[in-house]
């Protein structure tokens, strides 16, 4: 499958192409921070039936902490499932299309379901099965990989830092949006919690529309045997001479991955089996338990 006629790689090159890739990657901002304002909304609390808001605007939990806390906590369980799924999907069928496009489409459906939720079961299913499992798992797991593998190696650290800065910017936008909406009808309106959830659909639609016109990761192209396409993308990114050097390096990496394919599993990653002195399992477990604590 050749590179599309309208791919931006035909028009942009070097730094212009790098900036374009980074801007698109930045659109995959997560929904972190969004539920903080949602959980304090009077209409949301009344609808989920786990408490009430007193005359001072303070949420009071009277039913069960498991309802409000469970709705938030299921986010992280969905993220875990999504990351595991995203790693397999992105490695087998490509980083960009259909992985990211599929993730965007599913996340749009999930956001629509969540912002229209009428009860606890509805919102939990929307967060676990649709929005978080796919958006956070696939988009926030695959998009950084796609961006890192597409960006030239020299400014890679800089561009990855910018991308995650944009991720935090998404949290800031969520907080300020919900702060402003808290003044509508003294915070009693359903609009206060439904709109911030639905607002996520805007960057998702932009990302879904844009990915079809961007180049696939050279690493994946080489792994799929599309060496000519990979060379072309690398030439547009860093010039003919450096492209050949980069192409040889990626080929060596792909060959090494194939050689140790039997060890490239989640089981080997978490148990250190076959990792030798690298102790990958120990490192993975350290990261996991630091997050839990």
């Amino acid at each position: 499958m050749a590179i599309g006629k309208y791919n931006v790689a035909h028009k942009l090159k070097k730094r212009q192409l790098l900036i374009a890739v980074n801007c698109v990657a930045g659109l995959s901002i997560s929904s972190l921070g969004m539920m903080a304002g949602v959980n304090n909304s009077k209409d949301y609390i009344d609808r989920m039936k786990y408490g009430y808001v007193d005359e001072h605007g303070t949420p009071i939990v009277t039913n069960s902490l498991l309802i409000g806390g469970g709705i938030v906590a299921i986010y992280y369980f969905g993220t875990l499932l999504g990351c595991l799924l995203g790693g397999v999907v992105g490695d087998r069928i490509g980083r960009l299309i259909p992985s990211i496009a599929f993730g965007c489409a599913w996340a749009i459906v999930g956001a629509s379901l969540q912002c229209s939720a009428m009860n606890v079961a509805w919102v939990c299913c929307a967060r676990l099965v649709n929005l978080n499992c796919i958006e956070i798992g696939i988009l926030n797991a695959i998009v950084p990989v796609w961006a890192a593998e597409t960006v030239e190696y020299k400014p890679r650290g800089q561009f990855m830092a910018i991308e995650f800065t944009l991720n935090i910017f998404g949290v800031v936008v969520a907080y300020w949006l919900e702060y402003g909406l808290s003044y509508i009808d003294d915070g009693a309106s359903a609009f206060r919690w439904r709109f911030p959830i639905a607002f996520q659909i805007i960057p998702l639609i932009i990302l879904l529309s844009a990915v079809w016109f961007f180049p696939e990761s050279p690493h994946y192209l080489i792994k799929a045997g599309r060496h000519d396409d990979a060379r072309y993308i690398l030439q547009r990114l860093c010039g003919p001479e450096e492209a050949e050097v980069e192409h040889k390096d990626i080929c060596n990496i792909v060959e090494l991955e194939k050689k140790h394919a039997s060890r490239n599993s989640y089981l080997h990653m978490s148990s250190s089996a076959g990792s030798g002195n690298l102790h990958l399992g120990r490192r993975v477990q350290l990261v996991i338990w630091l997050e839990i604590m």
Side-chain angles (χ1 to χ4, degrees):
M1 184 175 62
I3 299 173
K5 178 181 178 182
Y6 299 104
N7 198 291
V8 296
H10 298 312
K11 300 291 183 181
L12 305 177
K13 62 180 180 179
K14 294 191 175 181
R15 189 165 184 82
Q16 293 178 333
L17 182 56
L18 297 178
I19 292 174
V21 168
N22 203 61
C23 288
V24 170
L27 288 172
S28 63
I29 56 175
S30 71
S31 58
L32 292 172
M34 178 265 297
M35 287 303 293
V38 170
N39 285 333
N40 292 328
S41 171
K42 182 181 183 304
D43 182 81
Y44 180 81
I45 293 174
D46 293 341
R47 194 172 298 276
M48 299 304 152
K49 296 181 174 62
Y50 64 83
Y52 67 93
V53 177
D54 64 16
E55 63 274 11
H56 303 293
T58 303
I60 305 297
V61 177
T62 58
N63 187 353
S64 173
L65 291 172
L66 291 177
I67 298 178
I71 292 173
V72 176
I74 205 169
Y75 169 99
Y76 297 98
F77 181 64
T79 300
L80 173 62
L81 295 179
C83 286
L84 296 175
L85 174 63
V88 175
V89 171
D91 206 41
R92 292 186 178 181
I93 63 177
R95 317 285 195 249
L96 193 61
I97 302 171
S99 297
I100 296 177
F102 175 70
C104 287
W106 200 331
I108 290 171
V109 173
S112 302
L113 288 172
Q114 194 175 345
C115 73
S116 61
M118 302 299 291
N119 52 54
V120 174
W122 189 330
V123 73
C124 283
C125 289
R127 283 174 67 77
L128 174 63
V129 178
N130 287 288
L131 183 61
N132 292 300
C133 181
I134 302 302
E135 180 191 6
I136 304 302
I138 290 186
L139 297 185
N140 283 15
I142 294 181
V143 171
V145 175
W146 167 68
E149 292 179 347
T150 304
V151 171
E152 186 188 0
Y153 70 93
K154 291 181 180 178
R156 188 169 294 160
Q158 174 189 354
F159 277 81
M160 292 304 296
I162 293 174
E163 182 182 338
F164 284 103
T165 300
L166 292 174
N167 186 282
I168 301 302
F169 176 73
V171 179
V172 175
V173 170
Y175 281 142
W176 278 104
L177 180 63
E178 291 171 339
Y179 174 75
L181 292 174
S182 66
Y183 288 95
I184 298 178
D185 295 332
D186 293 326
S189 172
F191 189 77
R192 176 184 176 182
W193 69 272
R194 295 190 186 276
F195 180 76
I197 298 174
F199 187 77
Q200 301 170 87
I201 296 176
I202 296 175
L204 287 170
I205 290 176
I206 298 174
L207 180 60
L208 177 60
S209 303
V211 293
W212 303 93
F213 306 103
F214 277 77
E216 179 59 272
S217 157
H219 184 102
Y220 175 77
L221 291 174
I222 292 174
K223 188 174 182 178
R226 297 168 56 185
H227 290 267
D228 291 338
D229 290 341
R231 280 194 181 92
Y232 179 76
I233 298 301
L234 290 171
Q235 288 173 1
R236 300 297 294 178
L237 284 168
C238 52
E241 294 183 1
E242 291 191 23
E244 284 302 317
V245 176
E246 187 81 1
H247 180 267
K248 290 180 181 178
D249 288 342
I250 297 175
C251 286
N252 292 334
I253 293 172
V254 170
E255 287 301 318
L256 187 63
E257 289 176 352
K258 291 180 179 179
K259 181 180 178 181
H260 299 284
S262 60
R263 301 177 186 175
N264 296 338
S265 67
Y266 291 132
L267 177 62
H268 284 80
M269 185 186 301
S270 59
S271 65
S272 285
S275 65
N277 294 327
L278 293 176
H279 302 293
L280 297 180
R282 183 188 302 173
R283 299 180 185 187
V284 171
Q285 293 295 334
L286 180 62
V287 171
I288 291 174
W289 288 103
L290 282 174
E291 286 294 320
I292 292 175
M293 290 188 291

